[in-house]
Amino acid sequence: MPTPPETDRPARPASARPAHPASARPEYGGDAGPLAVHPKVFRDELAAAAEWVAGYLQGIPRRPVTRPMPPEHRQAMAAGSLPQDGQELGALLEFVDQAIAPYPTGNGHPAFFAWINSPPSPAGVIAELLATAVNATCGMGEHALMDLERGVLRDLASLAGLAPTAGGVLTSGGSMANLLCLGAARTWFLRQHGATDGPAYDRAHARLVAYHSDQAHMSVAKAAAVIGLPPWRLRAVPTTPDRSMNVDALRTMVDADRAAGLLPFCVVSNLGSTATGAVDPIEAITRVCRRAGVWHHGDGAWGGLGALVPELASSYRGVAGLDSLTVDPHKALSVPVGCGAALVTDPSRLRDAFTFRASYLDGDQDWPWMSDYTIELTRPGTRALTLWATLRHLGRSGVVALLQHYQDLARYLRQRVREHPLLELCTSGPLPVVCFRLAARPEAGRQGRTDPHAAVAARVQARGHAYLATVSHDGQTVLRACVCNHLTTTDDVDTLLHEVLAAADHLRTV
């Protein structure tokens, strides 16, 4: 399998390849199973892995933001190659070092601005290892990590500004959290209408309608499809010039659907749209929902904790009135992937939707199993411990400081764009994402019909010094930079702009 040049790989300490005498290796057969490892070998390999992790994370800023995989490497990785006989544990670190680590997506690098992906927090990295060793099944039975999950969910709900009654469940990410909350909304609505089973269910379900802004994350449409809502009964509400939901349009659409005999049951608000960081008017949408007897869900996968930041607080007025909220700690808080959260003002509504019983699974009614709140039965304990560890490392003041850090860097980037004669700032929301375009768009040259902004982004990405993405804005492709890395500094922002301008200049000459 091909390997990258040694100079571009993270430096490996001498202890990364401990030598073990033959007597330290397990002898398979007898009472020893095929997974048995001598304690000294296990400790040495754990120590080597810890040294490698520390070196890898420390060295990320000095390496390229990303590196495309050679086609032959990708093919070799995807082909599968299980040998007949097993290998020693030391081969694992060698494999990761040579075949995995050199090809990052880029989200750990401080000059990565493309998507809302964060590097892992130091506390989260350690907690992940510890929770993996404990290896709890946090869906059923009794385990301290399930109780820890309940407590850390209360902490998260408090940070978001939800009502004190709020709770929920940790998920793999925002997509799963949106699915759970839409499922809970459907069950709640059908119960309100006495239509939970039989012909009444069929008649009501065939008329359910949900709403989201035309800036919604694609996971909302995916969640609607999973719960059986066809595309024609998922309404995309138009937005105002600031990219937030047009509440008058929402009200008109809800009234029209009710008049047509349909059943509006849920509105999904953006608490930070992916494209531009827009925040929908929470209070006004809640008033529409209450008048129509509709569930109000907030998709705050990225910006769900914005109420903590003084400059954002006014945009989050009324968040306590939401019925449910999605938050992704692996975005704004740098908890290791994947840790999302489905937070519900009345957590029993999740249980109404997802509690199922079997003779071999007898849940506790006083301390319900966490599987009662989700579609997962087997659930990793890593989510609870990594979130708990990261929050305890930060404290409430640290969370605020982290979110403010992102806001400050986005403000710096916007100012740099405004000041440069070759760049134009596009309309965006209050969260730390900056959309901008080239003031004088270069000809595509040999790029053919490729949009110049797409060509600029591709060249920036290929050079490996910075990384940003593109997005559709008013029907045009523009550049988009999101700040969500606690290691990012103004120097990284300057590097990004330098790379963008250099790429644009290159396009003019080819």
Side-chain angles (χ1 to χ4, degrees):
M1 184 174 293
T3 59
E6 185 71 32
T7 54
D8 287 335
R9 295 191 351 236
R12 298 186 65 201
S15 61
R17 296 182 182 176
H20 300 120
S23 60
R25 299 181 182 127
E27 295 181 3
Y28 300 125
D31 294 332
L35 287 175
V37 176
H38 192 283
K40 175 173 171 41
V41 175
F42 187 56
R43 287 189 176 90
D44 286 346
E45 294 300 339
L46 276 176
E51 286 290 336
W52 184 91
V53 167
Y56 173 78
L57 293 176
Q58 186 177 13
I60 284 177
R62 299 191 298 271
R63 295 193 293 277
V65 178
T66 189
R67 183 203 305 273
M69 272 195 288
E72 62 273 17
H73 183 73
R74 171 168 286 180
Q75 291 167 4
M77 293 285 287
S81 56
L82 182 64
Q84 179 63 33
D85 298 320
Q87 61 186 17
E88 294 184 357
L89 286 185
L92 170 59
L93 181 53
E94 185 74 18
F95 175 76
V96 172
D97 181 60
Q98 296 185 7
I100 303 296
Y103 305 106
T105 303
N107 54 293
H109 199 286
F112 182 85
F113 297 91
W115 305 303
I116 311 170
N117 293 332
S118 305
S121 68
V125 171
I126 298 171
E128 183 94 18
L129 171 63
L130 298 175
T132 299
V134 173
N135 200 34
T137 300
C138 283
M140 56 188 179
E142 181 178 323
H143 199 283
L145 280 173
M146 280 198 284
D147 295 315
L148 184 71
E149 181 170 345
R150 294 183 178 96
V152 79
L153 282 163
R154 289 185 179 276
D155 290 338
L156 194 62
S158 174
L159 289 171
L162 295 180
T165 58
V169 66
L170 294 179
T171 67
S172 59
S175 295
M176 180 60 75
N178 281 338
L179 172 59
L180 296 181
C181 291
L182 261 66
R186 178 186 62 177
T187 299
W188 166 81
F189 183 87
L190 293 175
R191 283 195 170 198
Q192 296 292 108
H193 288 74
T196 58
D197 200 2
Y201 173 91
D202 293 336
R203 288 192 298 269
H205 201 282
R207 295 184 290 148
L208 294 179
V209 183
Y211 308 80
H212 62 67
S213 95
D214 59 19
Q215 301 294 305
H217 191 268
M218 61 89 179
S219 65
V220 177
K222 186 179 291 189
V226 170
I227 66 170
L229 206 66
W232 77 269
R233 284 194 274 120
L234 182 62
R235 306 282 191 256
V237 183
T239 51
T240 56
D242 66 356
R243 302 302 191 275
S244 63
M245 186 184 290
N246 186 320
V247 180
D248 289 337
L250 170 67
R251 187 182 300 108
T252 299
M253 294 169 78
V254 169
D255 289 345
D257 283 335
R258 294 177 72 187
L262 297 174
L263 297 175
F265 80 99
C266 182
V267 176
V268 180
S269 296
N270 273 327
L271 273 64
S273 66
T274 303
T276 65
V279 178
D280 291 337
I282 300 171
E283 283 186 316
I285 294 172
T286 297
R287 284 194 292 269
V288 174
C289 291
R290 296 296 171 260
R291 180 177 66 89
V294 171
W295 182 289
H296 188 186
H297 171 63
D299 183 2
W302 174 32
L305 303 181
L308 288 168
V309 183
E311 67 189 72
L312 297 176
S314 61
S315 297
Y316 286 78
R317 191 175 296 116
V319 69
L322 290 171
D323 294 296
S324 59
L325 174 67
T326 287
V327 177
D328 269 2
H330 66 217
K331 288 186 171 69
L333 297 179
S334 277
V335 175
V337 173
C339 182
L343 299 171
V344 182
T345 300
D346 182 354
S348 69
R349 293 175 179 172
L350 280 173
R351 295 191 67 211
D352 290 342
F354 300 109
T355 298
F356 285 78
R357 287 287 174 256
S359 61
Y360 46 84
L361 295 172
D362 186 16
D364 189 330
Q365 296 304 310
D366 294 326
W367 292 91
W369 291 352
M370 296 308 294
S371 59
D372 286 354
Y373 299 85
T374 179
I375 63 175
E376 295 178 297
L377 180 58
T378 301
R379 306 175 58 252
T382 53
R383 297 168 186 165
L385 194 59
T386 54
L387 175 55
W388 182 89
T390 301
L391 287 177
R392 287 307 183 277
H393 186 213
L394 286 168
R396 191 179 185 93
S397 62
V399 172
V400 175
L402 181 63
L403 300 178
Q404 187 63 59
H405 172 67
Y406 300 147
Q407 292 295 126
D408 293 343
L409 286 173
R411 185 182 303 108
Y412 175 77
L413 175 54
R414 291 189 186 102
Q415 186 61 33
R416 288 292 315 276
V417 169
R418 288 192 189 97
E419 292 172 350
H420 203 287
L422 298 181
L423 301 174
E424 291 180 352
L425 192 65
C426 301
T427 303
S428 60
L431 294 187
V433 60
V434 181
C435 297
F436 60 103
R437 61 168 65 93
L438 303 172
R441 294 172 36 147
E443 295 297 327
R446 286 197 292 264
Q447 301 293 332
R449 294 185 178 181
T450 302
D451 184 276
H453 292 91
V456 165
R459 180 164 177 81
V460 170
Q461 294 166 7
R463 281 171 54 83
H465 302 302
Y467 201 109
L468 83 169
T470 59
V471 71
S472 178
H473 192 281
D474 291 337
Q476 295 183 344
T477 299
V478 301
L479 301 171
R480 174 188 173 278
C482 176
V483 184
C484 57
N485 188 320
H486 64 91
L487 300 173
T488 301
T489 67
T490 54
D491 288 343
D492 299 304
V493 173
D494 292 341
T495 296
L496 172 67
L497 289 180
H498 172 80
E499 289 294 306
V500 167
L501 293 167
D505 186 61
H506 172 78
L507 282 179
R508 294 186 181 95
T509 62
V510 297

